[in-house]
């Protein structure tokens, strides 16, 4: 069943598209910035299978950030605080009091900031191939120039060379999806804004259970970034998996799902137990005088 699209409103007046799938403890999947589109992703088998697997044990929540997908694209504010407003709007609209966060790539700094500022709402934090401070990969300048001059070639390059989608037809489909999900101007604006993100000073303030997931052979960010993240977030766990794609549903997806299920499973079991009554129970017994005679008389 295809997820139904809903719209939330941010406090600065931006409409944010969001959807849910499954039942249970909520897991919020943050956007894959800048290329995200919660409706079109569902048409790509690899994306769809990934989301369906995650939703087997919980309620899966997805949303498009401002400037991409089905959310408002005519916006000018792409700061870290603005992206926090997008997340806040989605979870408030869906009445999620407490939830787990999965943050891939550019969404990582936003999730770290939210977990540090709103720990009462975040049950678990899963950071996938991300960072606390943005640093440009070696190909960034060349790619930026390509985006402004040849949008189709730029998306083909990202699909094949960076995301590792090697099959011709699949790579072309992914590149077409990217072009539908965002405009070249928005890519440049999002990239420029993200270059300023630095939440390094907040890492020590993250008090929610955190899992740092990373693939060993990923070219960017390098595995050392994941080790540093895990070492600076109190009691964070680090799981290094085999493979090189920065997309969690590429390469061998089973270890990724297993790591997430095991990590979130602890909190989900605790939440299920919390729904049962706890504490001392009092049972009152009353003895009615001459009850035997009354029973024989009245029947």
């Amino acid at each position: 069943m295809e997820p139904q699209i809903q719209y939330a409103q941010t406090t600065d007046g931006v409409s944010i598209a969001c959807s849910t799938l499954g039942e249970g403890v909520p897991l919020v999947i943050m956007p894959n910035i800048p290329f995200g589109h919660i409706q079109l992703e569902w048409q790509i088998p690899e994306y769809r299978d990934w989301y369906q697997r995650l939703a087997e044990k919980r309620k899966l929540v997805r949303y498009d950030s401002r400037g991409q997908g089905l959310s408002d694209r005519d916006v000018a504010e792409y700061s870290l605080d603005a992206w926090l407003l997008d997340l806040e709007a989605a979870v408030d609209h869906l009445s999620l009091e407490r939830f787990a966060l999965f943050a891939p790539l550019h969404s990582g700094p936003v999730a770290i900031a939210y977990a540090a500022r709103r720990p009462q709402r975040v049950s678990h934090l899963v950071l996938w191939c991300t960072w606390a401070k943005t640093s440009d990969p070696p190909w960034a300048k060349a790619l930026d120039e390509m985006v402004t001059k040849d949008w189709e070639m730029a998306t083909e390059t990202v699909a094949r060379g960076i995301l590792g989608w090697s099959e011709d037809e699949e790579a072309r489909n992914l590149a077409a999806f990217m072009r539908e999900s965002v405009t070249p101007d928005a890519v440049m604006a999002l990239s420029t804004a993200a270059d300023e993100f630095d939440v390094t000073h907040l890492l020590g303030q993250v008090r929610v259970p955190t899992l740092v997931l990373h693939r060993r052979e990923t070219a960017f960010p390098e595995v050392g970034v994941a080790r540093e993240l895990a070492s600076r977030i109190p009691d964070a766990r680090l799981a290094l998996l085999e493979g090189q794609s920065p997309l969690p549903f590429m390469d061998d997806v089973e270890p990724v799902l297993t790591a997430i299920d095991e990590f979130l499973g602890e909190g989900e079991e605790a939440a299920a137990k919390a729904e049962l009554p706890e504490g001392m129970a009092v049972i009152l017994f009353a003895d009615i005088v001459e009850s035997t005679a009354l029973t024989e008389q009245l029947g």
Side-chain angles (χ1 to χ4, degrees):
M1 181 178 180
E2 187 168 335
Q4 297 300 306
I5 309 299
Q6 305 178 42
Y7 276 93
Q9 195 80 6
T10 67
T11 55
D12 62 343
V14 178
S15 291
I16 299 298
C18 55
S19 70
T20 63
L21 180 70
E23 299 291 337
V25 179
L27 168 63
V28 178
I29 303 291
M30 298 186 68
N32 209 358
I33 297 170
F35 304 113
H37 194 301
I38 59 174
Q39 186 178 54
L40 293 182
E41 286 173 0
W42 200 251
Q43 311 307 319
I44 300 174
E46 291 82 0
Y47 268 110
R48 185 172 62 250
D49 291 347
W50 162 250
Y51 292 136
Q52 287 178 327
R53 290 287 300 277
L54 286 173
E56 287 177 357
K57 301 179 180 179
R58 57 192 65 90
K59 175 185 285 188
L60 194 69
V61 176
R62 298 185 296 134
Y63 70 96
D64 288 331
S65 71
R66 60 185 62 207
Q68 67 169 188
L70 295 176
S71 293
D72 276 352
R73 298 197 183 188
D74 187 18
V75 293
E77 179 62 43
Y78 292 109
S79 66
L80 178 68
D81 286 339
W83 284 3
L84 286 169
L85 292 180
D86 298 348
L87 169 59
E88 191 84 8
V91 297
D92 284 351
H93 175 77
L94 297 171
S95 302
L96 306 182
E97 295 183 2
R98 191 165 170 81
F99 48 87
L101 269 180
F102 179 92
L105 302 167
H106 286 89
S107 287
V110 185
I112 291 168
Y114 190 84
R117 297 177 186 179
R118 303 295 300 275
Q120 73 279 10
R121 298 195 71 174
V122 181
S123 64
H124 291 72
L125 177 62
V126 181
L127 300 174
W128 170 264
C129 289
T130 188
W131 49 84
K133 181 179 180 180
T134 305
S135 59
D136 286 336
W139 60 81
K141 290 184 178 180
L143 184 60
D144 286 348
E145 184 175 350
M146 196 182 301
V147 166
T148 60
K149 292 184 177 180
D150 192 331
W151 180 221
E152 184 171 348
M153 181 178 291
T155 55
E156 292 271 355
T157 300
V158 172
R160 298 173 187 274
I162 299 175
L163 299 182
W165 220 293
S166 57
E167 297 294 332
D168 285 345
E169 184 177 357
E170 293 176 349
R172 284 194 297 270
N173 290 340
L174 181 62
F177 157 77
M178 293 178 185
R179 294 192 294 273
E180 287 291 326
S181 65
V182 69
T183 66
D185 288 343
V187 169
M188 297 305 298
L190 287 162
S191 176
T192 300
D195 284 346
E196 303 299 320
F197 291 177
D198 184 359
V199 295
T200 307
H201 62 292
L202 294 176
L203 293 177
Q205 300 176 34
V206 177
R207 300 297 177 182
V208 305
T210 301
L211 174 65
V212 179
L213 280 173
H214 204 92
R215 286 201 171 113
R216 295 179 187 275
E217 292 81 32
T218 300
F220 181 83
E222 296 179 351
V223 69
V225 176
R227 293 194 182 101
E228 183 178 4
L229 265 184
S231 68
R232 299 189 64 170
I233 296 176
D235 301 319
R237 307 179 194 179
L238 174 64
L240 299 179
L241 309 175
E242 299 306 320
Q244 60 182 3
S245 176
L247 296 177
F249 51 83
M250 293 290 289
D251 288 343
D252 188 358
V253 71
E254 291 303 324
V256 183
L257 290 165
T258 298
I260 293 172
D261 283 344
E262 290 178 353
F263 179 64
L264 296 182
E266 301 169 8
E268 290 164 352
E269 290 175 8
K273 291 179 180 178
E275 295 177 359
L276 299 174
E278 296 183 352
M280 181 181 294
V282 178
I283 301 176
L284 176 64
F285 290 91
D287 186 19
I288 301 176
V289 177
E290 298 182 352
S291 59
T292 303
L294 286 171
T295 302
E296 292 176 350
Q297 179 183 348
L298 300 175

